[in-house]
Amino acid sequence: MFNRSSSDVNISQIIRLINEIKQSIYKVIYLMMKWEEESLYVAILFSIMQLLQITYLAFGPKILYVWNNEKAAMNLRSIFSYFIISSHLIGQEFKLYLTIFYLFFGLVLLAIVLFVVFAFAFKVPVLPLLLLKFLLKLFLTIGFLPIMLLFFGLLSCKVNSEGANIWFYNTDIECWGNEHYIHGIFAIVAILIFQILTSSTCLIYFESKYAYGNAYAQRSGRPYSYYHINVFIIIMSYQLLELPRFSSLFLTIYILSSFFLFYQIHTEKPFYNKVIQKLWSIITALNFWTSIMLLFAYLLEGQYFRDVIWGWVGGVPLITLIIINEQIFEVDLLGSNINRAISGQQIIILCEYLLSLLDKNDQHSLLMLDGFIEIHKQTCYRNDCVLKSKKILNDKNKHVSLQDMERYTVFIELISQMYYDGIKQFPQDVFLRLNYSYFLIDRLKLKQQALTELQQAEQSGASFDHEFIIYRYKRILEDDLQEQQQENLNQVDLVTEIAFQNQSKQLIQQIEKTSLVYVDFWAQLQEEIPDIGRIKVLGFKILDSVNQVEEQWNRLKRLNQKASKLNRLMGKYYSQVLNDEEIGIKLIQLSRMNQNDKFKAIDLEEIQNECLATITILTDVDKMGTISNLNKAACSLIGYAKTDLVNRKLNLIQPDLFSKYHDHFLENFLDKYQDSYSNQQVKEKSIYVKNKQGYIIPCQLHIRMIQTINAGVFMCGTIKQDIYHKPMSIFLCQTNGIIENINSTCIRMFGLELKSITIKPINILDIFPDILERKDELLQKAGGIVSYTFRTRSSKNDVSHNSLQDLDIEHSEVFENQSKQQIQYQCFLQEIKFQCIEDEIIQNKLQGYIIKFEKLKSQEKIQLYAQNKPIQNQTQFKFNCQSLTYVLDCASGVDSQDVTVKVDQSIFWEDQTKISQQITNDPQVQGSDSQKNYAEGIKIVRLIGDRIVEIEESKSEEYEDENMQSLIEQNENHDQDQKNEKETVNLYRSKGQLDQLLSQSKLPRTAINLIIFTNIMNTVLLLLAFLEYFINLDQYQNLIDSIPLVSYNNQRSSTLMSIQSIVQDLKAINYDQYPLLKDPQSGYLNVEKQFRGWFDKELQQLMMVQKELTLVSAEINENYLEFDDQYYMQNIKMASLEGGTQNYTFNEAVQSVIAKAMQINSSSLEEISDQNSDVYYIEYNVFNSLTQNLIIPAQYYRYNIISRGEILDTSATALLTAACIVLFILICSNLMFIIKIEVVNQAALQLFLDLDQKKIKSIYIKCENFITSLQVGDEDDDDFFSDNDENEEENENKEKDDGAHLLNGRKKKKKFRNSNQYYKHLILALLINILIMSAYFTYQFVSVQSETSSIIDLIPVFNQTSFAECYYRFSDNALRKSFEVEQYTFVGNSSMHVLNWLISELYNLDAAIHQIHSTNSDILDSEYLDVFNNIFILTPCDYIVQIDHEIDYETCQNFNDGVLQQGLSIGMAKFFENFRQLLNSYSSFNQSNDYDLTFQISENKRLNYMMNLANTDQAHNMRLMQLRYIKAAYEYINQALIQSVQKNANNSKNLKVALFISFNIFLFFIYFFIWIPLIFRILSDMLKSRQTLTIIPLQVIHRTASIRQYIRKIINH
């Protein structure tokens, strides 16, 4: 009968898991709703935006054709598309769409991660919680439709004219192609996650009862969730259906979903706020109207009607007006009868309608309520109906305001009665109980009764959304009640007592349920072959049941700590069921004792004997403001008994406006007293005291500090009541005029009782409308006169706005003088500000008003009163210190006109003590502790683990040991075992200690290591995935970014030489050495202008390149640090005209050249000469120091690329190695962890098999006896402890005698079986996950190796291609300088040697460029190779004109007789030929020969010869070739090469991004949704398996060796 199938166990585990997930969700939503407050204006704005969004679906680009009016539809779509993200992405790049898509997908995943983290977090930080709240609010309102449309947009495809399936938003992208496929899968995943998140959250994330500050408060979240479902269905149809092919299907879905949404929102009316409800009715109605007109246009447009779209536009304002002017919903009160209600919803509607009528309080509402009264009297079957028992409403002589107040009170009671009857009629209606709870909270302020209703609703099969509402309000009410109970510890009202009784019944039911599970558990152990799996399930069920009983018991203790009957029941429960006799005995003793936790009061005779009211309070930090003592005079003044106030906060007898800041007052007073008042007397203060009835009493307070013998400091306050010679009504009001407190004189003067302002708040402006307008006048000392007009029932047209209750005293005046309808009062107004508080906000804030009214009598009445005033002695009660009583005696003092005003409340003499104080102590119960010996003499303690425990050497114990091999081994280890046993037993002398030790115990060492490895490896694996992607991506990007640095460096060198070339030209113009370029008319003016323009351009380019290279920091490996040192070493020796030198780094040298060039550029032409130091600086240093050290930056940036490539390879290798190690450790640790946990759990459960069958049977019988006594209700079991003790001692002695047999042999192990097969299914899933992860990391490694190798192979291509331009430039400049100066030093060599070397290097460089491109053609991009071939083989002019805009295509083609028409290779050959010819002419010069020269440039024969060579067409074309055409061609080649590499890198990164996202989504779900919950469950099950040992009686544990050893092992582990 105790066996259960494995399927039932699995189902129970699934249910348990679902409940845990729901509780986690409830916890997070509850935390977010603590700050829930929605502004009405924000809600209106969001709703209007949602209207525009949902209307956009009818005017989307895919359905626009239906309207047959493209222009009008496009204009309307442009309006509706402002808040649609995807509408702005039509025709944009695919990358932009993906960026926005993954941004919002990341936000959705972030919200889920925050949800999971907060669900398991013990402390939730505020800022991330607010972030999660913002994200959810965005997803549920204005963000849902645009995000869902964006997600579905990736799946939106169409067929083009060629029949290809293309993406709708960009026709260049093929649907489900290589680039689209991966992202489409992510879109499907994103849609599912987003819809599940929003649908589940929308059902519970709302305020479920009316809240003034929350515009989104709803009766239920289901109607609003239909909005999300409607949007999801329409968007799915819109994006996935092929339109216009399936137009009919789409329009059918559209109109049906729109109608269902309109019906739900408009009929259910979920929103409490009328404005929001009207607005959403309009939104859904317009959405339905749009679907109708869309279908109308599709069917009839062009056939019978035209321009249907304008009909839709015209219908929008019409439908809006219809909804706005819709008749207010009214309930037929004349036909209402709750006895005939068919559902709880009808009762809810009727009660809410009655409450709305009560709140309106207009003439129509009053007539409706009066009619309902008559109908209800006839239909109500209850004899104790509120309307039948109350006859007050039929009294037509009553004042109108009095009747309104009584009507409100009666109807509140009536509605409460209707809810109560409805719940009896529909006990399983959860929504009815929830609404009744709201009514109890908001209207009746009965939180305890509301909590009871919520508990009943929880047991009525609540749905998911109702479960959360119950969960949330239970926590709110429990917290409020606990705080209230701490403030009013001894005050128990009727509702609390009823709740206590109801919860007591629940406790008894839970105890009975737990006892039955115990019976099943012990019965299973009595089986011949027990099932370990079944024992585990029952043990876990027992632990859960015990925790529920504990929680319920704690709730009851908060309600009433003096329930002796429950204490006795719980004592028996702990002793007979839980086998915890220590707690059971304590509870039995507690049931016989007085349970009032009295605070130690001060015994000061002078306080007790004082005649004035005196109260002493504590000044301790943790007990600040707690009343420690008070005398009888204080009890008489405020109406409380002494026992009601001792150990209570002083705030209890203070008005609410002052009580909330009273702790601040005390702290401020004590601080000032210590500083300045210690030797001074404190002045009297005017205060207001609140008596037991709630009325305030004006008093004077005198404070003095008392120092007791025990060095305790107490604050003693003497209270003296203020005496007024005239009746004085006092009101304490809030800043808005709401009356907070009144004194009892208000009953006489205004007929206003405290009950009136408690049930329904009353504003002072309703009584005196202009009182706050005359604030400045009334604040003066003299005050002002105000009038109050009384209105009788005869004035039907006027409606009284005050809420006074009784005007019997004043009616006589009205009837005596009908013409006098006003009574005047002298009014005194005083503002309430707390200047003594240090907080500036509180100091400057107005807290409220104190308003006093003194009635002014007419002159006739004053005279009549003086004539009829009897002469009488003034008497007064005086306190007799000897008899401790008050005696009526003649009083000396000023006569009072109204002696009844002196004491505002009745005097209570309370000598009775409470029932709980009459319970006497039974000393016999304390005898159970006689067994304990608390350390006679010196105690010996020992540090065991992290605990200090006592070692009792006098005590010895013999135990059985089932694992001992022989008697000899036992004798050898006997002493050590005894010592260990004593140490362990001392740690758990009670069940509570044992449970605490087991629950806090550590796992076995092996399991701990496995858990650490498993969790660390899971985290490390996740980090490795991120590190592998971001590190490799960053390093790969750095590697790609390092490639242009090579080109930039060579470009910098080339630009330096270009500047040098232009300086040479400007200097030659200055010396008139360029007659070839000289214009006969303008001279060199145009040439200089052209050279100056080139100078500016080259200088700006040099500055830009230098800036780029300076800002970039390279990364050099340790193997190449010498190049890094050279680059940053000041080894560039820059010479000056004066002959001095200075060392610079290469960057500093270039910067100095830039500075010199800027000075030259700003100089006049005449200043550019050989005598100019700047000219000399540039020419000499560029030819020598800079050129000689060009290898330094070239090597620096080359090895930067190599170093970054090696770093990337190293990191990829390290990450792959780490991933393999982690995966291997992960699979091993997971397998070992799973196996170890199963072994540990089974080892703990197997200990139950070591229990003696007789003991098991006796425990089983004891549980059955308890259940029997619980059902019978037998309570005469106070002596069962002594009987049990005797029986236990007999059994113990018997077991000790029988234990001797264990020394002679082993105890036979009991057979068992294990039906739990749960852990076997985890291994296969684990292996599959490991294989997927391994494949990902392997692919990443292979791709990185391939890419790095390709880039490093391309370094020579980049270097030579970009450096060729510099070679040509330097060659031309060197040749020109050689013409100018005969013996000039270039890079430390003679000019002739350098020129010959240059011509040879130019040939080799050109050949090397072609060869290296041919060698690396397999890794170079095909587009780049086409560009290279076109430039060198075909014609470079197409590309040159794109770089140098001053050159047109025709000029390029005709340059130097069309040398570039056949490719740059021919142009380069021509350049080499010209160079060689000029070099031959240069070398053939002979000083003795005469030459026929074209130009006479200089008197110097050699200089004249050389300058004529420079002015030949051959030299000019050569210079122009290298300066303009070669430079432009190589610049374009470099750009194309860089772009080709970056293109390949981008393609590779896109693929890696897709793989990375897929892998991380996989890891995300595996880790957060499978592994972490699984770990928590496994660990929880392990601890629970250990905690099941607490089911065994403690005495049995002490006598069972295997259990003792097991506990000792896990404790000392």
Side-chain angles (χ1 to χ4, degrees), residues 150-167:
L150 178 70
F151 289 172
F152 269 108
L154 270 176
L155 307 178
S156 180
C157 301
K158 65 179 181 180
V159 180
N160 60 7
S161 58
E162 299 177 358
N165 196 19
I166 59 175
W167 189 43

Side-chain angles (χ1 to χ4, degrees), residues 380-390 417 420-421:
C380 185
Y381 66 91
R382 296 181 56 164
N383 295 327
D384 58 344
C385 178
V386 176
L387 294 180
K388 293 180 181 179
S389 59
K390 300 271 185 179
Q417 172 186 305
Y420 181 76
D421 294 340

Side-chain angles (χ1 to χ4, degrees), residues 832-868:
I832 303 176
K833 289 185 178 180
F834 304 133
Q835 299 293 339
C836 60
I837 299 179
E838 295 180 356
D839 192 345
E840 293 181 2
I841 298 177
I842 300 177
Q843 283 182 356
N844 301 324
K845 182 179 179 182
L846 179 64
Q847 305 292 335
Y849 299 97
I850 301 174
I851 307 176
K852 301 179 182 179
F853 296 96
E854 181 180 306
K855 185 177 177 182
L856 299 178
K857 294 189 178 180
S858 61
Q859 190 66 26
E860 296 86 6
K861 291 202 171 187
I862 293 174
Q863 296 175 0
L864 181 62
Y865 181 81
Q867 295 174 3
N868 298 334

Side-chain angles (χ1 to χ4, degrees), residues 989-1034:
R989 290 188 174 275
S990 66
K991 270 292 189 67
Q993 293 177 353
L994 178 61
D995 182 68
Q996 184 179 5
L997 288 173
L998 294 176
S999 62
Q1000 297 177 357
S1001 63
K1002 298 180 181 179
L1003 300 175
R1005 182 167 301 172
T1006 306
I1008 292 175
N1009 295 334
L1010 293 175
I1011 290 174
I1012 293 174
F1013 271 119
T1014 302
N1015 287 280
I1016 290 178
M1017 291 303 108
N1018 280 323
T1019 307
V1020 169
L1021 188 64
L1022 185 64
L1023 292 176
L1024 278 177
F1026 278 88
L1027 289 175
E1028 189 277 336
Y1029 175 75
F1030 288 107
I1031 291 179
N1032 288 351
L1033 181 64
D1034 182 65

Side-chain angles (χ1 to χ4, degrees), residues 782-786 824-828 852-856:
I785 299 177
V786 296
Q824 293 183 337
Y825 298 88
Q826 187 72 24
C827 178
F828 304 90
K852 301 179 182 179
F853 296 96
E854 181 180 306
K855 185 177 177 182
L856 299 178

Side-chain angles (χ1 to χ4, degrees), residues 724-725 872-875 895-903:
Y724 295 100
H725 302 293
Q872 54 183 346
N873 294 328
Q874 196 68 257
T875 58
D895 294 340
S896 177
Q897 296 180 4
D898 190 355
V899 296
T900 61
V901 182
K902 180 180 179 182
V903 181

